[in-house]
């Protein structure tokens, strides 16, 4: 769909207010309530036990000794039906209660919304028990406490937070893999999230208790962070294998039994990026003057700043001292991302961006997260350095590229601290974060074919159907990686598109293109939805025509995403180990590349608006400009008609009244879609 040159980019001056058109009132159904008698049968014994202990023991010490009881200074888990809003309102009425965290899920999902409540003393617990007794007796609750009626009526479960909650199944599996075959005294990194307390003194006591427990189990503390704005308090520690084993077992005598602990997780690990198939450096036109006043920043690995393609275009601020320890040959990820933002896919020569890119490395040697820092803390410190109070190093940055993700934290309904941080910083500083959805490189079983020959010889349409069906069957294992569930940022999936010359296509030999004619996401691109069933990924941007490689055959074949190559990849700058003494070029693919292309496109939209409107645009606040860029990136996105029809006819569901579920299936793969070709060429 071509753009209309007679229309302005935007109408920055508001028009005359218009009367609001009458519309049908939308009534949101209230969640179904449980019968009062049923609630008494399910929870009555717990509250009666609570009343008995409180009557004879004001300090409720007996409850403290009972791991199954509701006790003061304990984190309680409330599972409720419907929205958590009524519960939050009820909590605010009881003095001293703290709502630590919450998980808001759609009401039509089987999983219940969960809220975590810290009960500070026996007085608060006694008041909850009194409200329960009043409600069960059928009497009116006191003025100001009527919201508790809805809580009690919609309560699914009420229990103390315990070891089973602190160690999630996936985390236990990863920790088990980490300690396999290792000696009992070998040290393993562990991220310990502490129950957040807004009171500084209470938070310090909690951290001290956790620190004593870590020392008692033979561990050491590496670093820590407390970020009040996102209710995040965590420690990076090292514990011996023997102590990790008891955590995996969810033993109450392990660190998982310490009351101040919220979660125990393996240390964050970067999602993979592939850069390969090197070629000599293609000729470079002399660049025009580049302005050292960046509006886009890159949080990534250390780039090869002296590479001929990158030298004029990047300024590196080594805030965390990662550059000296990172060999030039290891500067792969950061170099590729700077190259894509500055130049786009070098298969399709374009003018470079007119401003420098501000890069703060947050990856160390071998493009890995530093072993001695929490990634959430690194991201926070980097943004505060660029845009925080005092003397910010890049005060005009409003676009931040985050082509990173935690491969050990797939999204499962609850916002990760990293995503919450990006949302908060976007709001605080007026920043548009562009985040990669994540690349899932696990094998994909394809039941439609038994051998690689069958797969290769299939008709294009039959092969595409088989791959889409296979991805749908395993979509629960191909979720977004933290922080891709960000709400205020844009999540970028990898579009099956590149500009490889046809003469170079044969270099993708031995691998199979699953979608020769289908405009959709790459097979490795992580799938939505996002938080509260939000559309994710937001848009697709070019991530190369990813091919598949057969790794096992029999009754069915198993395929994995093939490496980027000269025949199927985006051409980027590469360090010497990959491309000669002075550095040359190589090929990459995936959602990291797509996010970088999106950042380049956002920059060019900003340039066009600045050229069109001048100071009228530049004098807008950072927040307003960031929102405009976000809207202009997503608004032109469209579902390719052929792809939407293809997924709808393949996955359904079929029958009357299924249109919304059909659209959900399409959105899981392509979000709001791809930019139309005119906008893609513009990017």
């Amino acid at each position: 769909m071509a753009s209309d040159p007679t229309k302005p980019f935007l109408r920055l001056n508001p028009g005359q207010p218009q009367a609001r058109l009458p519309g049908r009132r939308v009534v949101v159904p209230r969640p179904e309530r449980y019968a009062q008698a049923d609630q008494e049968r399910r929870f009555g014994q717990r509250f009666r036990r609570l009343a008995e202990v409180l009557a004879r023991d004001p300090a409720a010490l007996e409850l403290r000794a009972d791991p199954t009881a509701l006790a003061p200074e304990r984190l309680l888990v409330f599972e409720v039906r419907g929205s958590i809003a009524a519960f939050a309102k009820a909590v605010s009425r009881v003095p001293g209660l703290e709502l630590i965290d919450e998980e808001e899920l759609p009401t039509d999902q089987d999983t219940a919304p969960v809220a975590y409540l810290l009960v500070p003393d026996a007085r608060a617990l006694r008041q909850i028990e009194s409200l329960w007794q009043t409600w069960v007796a059928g009497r009116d609750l006191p003025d100001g406490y009527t919201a508790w009626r809805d809580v009690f009526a919609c309560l699914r479960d009420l229990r103390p937070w315990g070891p089973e909650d602190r160690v999630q199944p996936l985390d236990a599996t990863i920790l088990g893999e980490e300690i396999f075959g290792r000696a009992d005294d070998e040290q393993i990194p562990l991220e310990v999230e502490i129950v957040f307390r807004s009171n500084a003194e209470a938070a310090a006591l909690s951290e001290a208790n956790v620190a004593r427990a870590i020392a008692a189990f033979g561990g050491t503390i590496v670093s820590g962070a407390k970020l009040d704005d996102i209710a995040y308090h965590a420690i990076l520690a090292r514990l011996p294998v023997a102590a990790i084993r008891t955590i995996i077992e969810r033993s109450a005598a392990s660190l998982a039994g310490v009351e101040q602990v919220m979660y125990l997780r393996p240390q964050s690990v970067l999602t993979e990026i592939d850069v390969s198939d090197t070629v000599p450096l293609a000729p470079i036109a002399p660049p025009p003057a580049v302005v050292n006043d960046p509006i886009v920043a890159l949080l990534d690995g250390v780039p090869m700043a002296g590479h001929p393609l990158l030298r004029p275009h990047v300024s590196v601020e080594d805030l965390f001292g990662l550059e000296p320890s990172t060999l030039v040959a290891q500067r792969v990820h950061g170099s590729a991302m700077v190259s894509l933002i500055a130049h786009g896919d070098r298969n399709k020569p374009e003018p470079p961006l007119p401003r420098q890119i501000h890069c703060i490395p947050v990856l160390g040697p071998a493009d890995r997260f530093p072993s001695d820092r929490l990634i959430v803390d690194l991201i926070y410190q980097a943004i505060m350095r660029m845009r925080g109070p005092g003397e910010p190093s890049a005060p005009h940055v409003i676009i931040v590229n985050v082509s990173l993700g935690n491969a050990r934290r797939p999204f499962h309904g609850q916002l990760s601290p990293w995503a919450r941080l990006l949302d908060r910083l976007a709001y605080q500083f007026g920043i548009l974060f562009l985040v990669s959805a994540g690349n899932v490189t696990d094998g994909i079983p394809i039941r439609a074919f038994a051998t690689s020959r069958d797969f290769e010889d299939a008709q294009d349409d039959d092969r595409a159907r088989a791959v889409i069906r296979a991805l749908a069957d395993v979509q629960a294992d191909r979720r977004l990686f933290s922080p891709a569930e960000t709400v205020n940022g844009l999540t970028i999936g990898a579009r099956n598109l590149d500009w490889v010359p046809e003469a170079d296509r044969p270099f993708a030999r031995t691998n199979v293109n699953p979608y020769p004619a289908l405009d959709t996401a790459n097979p490795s691109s992580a799938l939505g939805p996002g938080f509260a069933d939000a559309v994710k990924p937001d848009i697709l941007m070019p991530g190369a025509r990813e091919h598949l490689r057969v790794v096992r055959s029999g009754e069915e074949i198993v395929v994995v995403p093939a490496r980027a190559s000269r025949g199927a990849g985006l051409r980027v700058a590469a360090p010497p180990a990959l491309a000669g003494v002075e550095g040359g070029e190589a090929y990459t693919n995936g959602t990291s590349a797509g996010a970088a292309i999106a950042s380049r496109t956002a920059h060019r939209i900003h340039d066009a608006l600045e050229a069109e409107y001048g100071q009228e645009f530049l004098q807008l606040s950072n927040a307003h400009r960031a929102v405009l860029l976000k809207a202009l990136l997503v608004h032109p996105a469209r579902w390719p008609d052929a792809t939407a029809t293809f997924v709808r006819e393949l996955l359904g569901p079929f029958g009357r009244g299924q249109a919304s579920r059909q659209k959900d299936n399409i959105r899981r793969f392509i979000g709001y879609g791809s930019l139309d070709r005119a906008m893609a060429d513009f990017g």
Side-chain angles (χ1 to χ4, degrees):
M1 182 181 68
S3 301
D4 186 345
T6 66
K7 295 180 180 178
F9 287 113
L10 293 172
R11 187 171 64 183
L12 295 181
N13 298 316
Q16 294 298 318
Q18 302 292 321
R20 185 173 181 177
L21 297 175
R24 187 179 63 179
R25 182 181 179 186
V26 177
V27 178
V28 179
R30 300 186 69 174
E32 181 183 353
R33 299 184 177 199
Y34 295 105
Q36 198 170 53
D38 291 341
Q39 295 296 78
E40 163 63 14
R41 186 167 53 253
R42 295 171 66 193
F43 302 112
Q45 183 58 38
R46 300 186 199 181
F47 282 102
R48 281 191 290 274
R49 158 109 171 106
L50 175 62
E52 291 170 3
V53 176
L54 288 172
R56 65 175 180 266
D57 181 6
L61 294 178
E62 186 177 336
L63 284 180
R64 289 180 182 274
D66 182 355
T68 66
L70 308 180
E73 199 57 49
R74 291 289 296 276
L75 193 63
L76 304 184
V77 181
F78 285 75
E79 289 187 7
V80 298
R81 276 186 169 179
S83 172
I84 218 76
F87 178 78
K89 180 180 178 183
V91 165
S92 68
R93 296 292 185 177
V94 179
L97 292 185
E98 288 187 56
L99 188 61
I100 298 299
D101 201 356
E102 60 192 60
E103 181 179 349
E104 184 80 71
L105 296 173
T107 55
D108 63 348
Q109 288 197 12
D110 189 45
T111 306
V114 175
Y116 313 116
L117 188 68
L118 192 66
V119 181
D121 53 33
R123 176 170 173 263
L125 200 58
R126 185 177 287 109
Q127 188 163 7
I128 294 175
E129 191 274 333
S130 175
L131 291 169
W132 165 266
Q133 296 297 346
T134 302
W135 180 75
V136 167
R139 299 192 301 269
D140 291 337
L141 294 177
D143 290 344
Y145 293 93
T146 53
W148 280 94
R149 175 190 60 202
D150 297 331
V151 172
F152 294 142
C154 297
L155 192 62
R156 288 194 187 207
D157 195 15
L158 172 61
R159 57 186 170 79
W161 188 254
E164 291 289 333
D165 302 290
R166 297 185 180 104
V167 186
Q168 300 294 303
L170 177 60
D171 297 326
T173 299
I174 294 171
L175 288 172
E177 293 170 352
E178 284 221 331
I179 69 173
F180 181 76
R182 297 193 176 190
D184 279 358
D185 59 351
E186 192 169 347
Q187 298 281 311
I188 303 295
L190 188 72
E191 295 184 7
V192 184
E193 290 185 35
I194 300 171
V195 175
F196 181 80
R197 304 297 302 273
S198 56
N199 179 276
E201 184 177 351
L205 287 173
S206 293
E207 183 172 333
N209 285 337
V210 174
R212 280 194 294 270
I214 290 171
F217 291 115
T220 58
I221 293 177
V222 179
S223 63
K226 183 174 183 287
L227 307 178
D228 290 1
D229 283 349
I230 60 167
Y232 176 72
H233 191 182
I235 286 173
L236 178 61
R238 289 184 173 275
L239 270 77
V241 166
I244 297 291
R245 189 174 293 112
T246 61
I247 289 172
I248 296 170
E249 295 167 353
R250 277 84 161 189
S251 169
S254 71
L255 190 61
V258 176
E259 292 184 5
Q260 291 79 16
V261 171
M262 185 80 176
Y263 292 111
L264 296 171
R265 303 189 189 278
Q267 188 174 18
S268 302
V269 169
L270 180 69
T271 53
E272 295 182 0
I273 182 176
D274 190 34
V275 175
S276 59
D277 213 359
T278 59
V279 294
L281 183 65
I284 306 171
V290 179
V291 178
N292 184 16
D293 184 20
I295 62 169
V296 64
L298 175 68
L299 304 182
D300 211 279
V302 179
M304 184 184 170
H307 192 289
L309 274 173
L310 309 184
R311 190 182 301 118
H313 301 287
V314 62
S315 61
V316 179
E317 182 178 9
D318 191 19
L319 180 62
F320 305 111
L322 298 172
E323 193 168 15
S325 61
T326 306
L327 299 176
V328 173
Q330 296 177 325
R331 301 179 183 185
V332 177
H333 199 292
S335 299
M337 295 305 104
V338 172
S339 178
L340 286 168
I341 296 172
H343 301 283
D345 181 1
R346 286 268 296 159
N347 285 311
K348 179 174 70 96
E350 296 176 341
L353 293 179
R355 299 173 186 252
Q356 281 193 335
I357 300 158
H358 191 78
C359 178
I360 295 185
V362 294
L363 303 180
D367 279 331
R368 298 180 183 273
F369 293 137
S371 61
D372 60 347
R373 297 290 292 270
L374 294 160
I375 186 61
V376 173
D377 186 39
L378 287 177
I379 300 297
Y380 175 77
Q381 298 294 341
I383 297 299
M384 294 304 291
R385 177 71 188 97
M386 286 191 295
R387 291 289 311 278
E391 297 183 4
S393 59
H396 298 139
V397 161
I398 62 169
I399 305 163
V400 176
N401 190 99
V402 184
S403 288
L404 308 171
N406 182 2
R408 292 176 166 177
R409 189 72 187 271
F411 174 64
H412 282 284
Q414 192 173 18
L415 285 174
S416 65
W418 193 351
R420 296 204 314 267
L421 176 67
L422 297 190
D423 288 343
R424 176 63 186 179
L425 294 172
Y427 168 78
Q428 184 176 358
F429 293 115
I431 292 173
L432 173 60
F433 286 99
L434 296 167
V435 185
S436 55
N439 306 315
V440 186
T441 55
D442 298 340
I444 309 165
I446 302 183
R447 297 182 176 87
F449 304 106
T451 68
S452 57
R453 176 63 62 86
D454 295 338
F455 184 57
E456 294 170 6
D457 292 345
Q459 295 294 318
D460 290 349
D461 192 60
D462 292 338
R463 188 190 306 115
R465 285 176 176 274
V467 173
I468 294 290
R469 166 58 69 187
L471 289 170
D473 289 343
V474 295
Q475 62 183 297
D477 300 320
R478 309 184 74 81
R479 299 172 186 265
L480 307 169
F481 289 129
S482 165
E485 73 274 24
T486 172
V487 175
N488 289 339
L490 285 181
T491 302
I492 311 300
R495 183 182 181 186
N496 185 47
L497 176 69
D498 57 34
W499 291 271
V500 170
E502 287 305 314
D504 286 347
R505 290 293 179 198
F507 285 92
R509 59 190 178 277
T510 75
N511 299 316
V512 180
N513 181 1
Y515 309 131
L518 195 64
D519 187 357
T520 186
N522 284 346
S524 69
S525 191
L527 305 177
F531 179 69
D533 213 23
V535 174
K536 291 289 178 179
D538 291 281
I539 56 173
L540 302 182
M541 294 296 285
R545 295 188 186 181
E546 185 176 71
H547 285 49
L548 295 174
R549 179 168 56 90
V550 178
V551 294
R552 191 167 72 244
S553 60
E555 293 183 358
E556 63 185 19
I557 64 167
V558 176
V559 300
V560 296
R563 301 187 70 186
S565 69
R566 181 174 173 182
L570 307 181
R571 187 165 172 153
V572 296
L578 293 176
V581 177
E582 295 183 356
E585 296 180 87
Y587 294 85
T588 191
N589 62 6
T591 62
S592 290
I597 294 290
S599 294
R600 172 178 173 81
T601 305
H603 195 302
R604 296 193 65 189
I605 292 172
H606 187 285
D607 294 343
L609 292 172
E610 182 178 354
E612 180 77 9
Y613 297 105
Q615 288 301 310
E616 188 178 8
F617 172 67
L618 294 177
Q619 287 175 359
L620 295 175
S621 69
N622 287 331
H624 284 106
R625 282 188 292 141
V627 168
L628 287 175
L629 295 179
K630 181 178 182 179
L632 289 172
L633 269 175
V634 177
H635 184 68
R638 297 289 184 272
W639 284 354
D641 290 339
T643 302
T645 301
F646 192 91
V647 174
R648 184 184 296 111
E649 292 179 351
L650 180 63
L651 302 182
F654 307 103
R656 297 188 62 181
Q658 298 294 339
S660 63
R661 294 185 180 274
Q662 291 173 358
K663 291 177 181 178
D664 286 342
N665 279 331
I666 298 169
R667 285 191 287 260
R668 282 187 176 90
F669 283 89
I670 60 176
Y672 288 111
S674 309
L675 297 191
D676 66 58
R677 198 62 189 229
M679 287 298 294
D681 289 342
F682 176 70

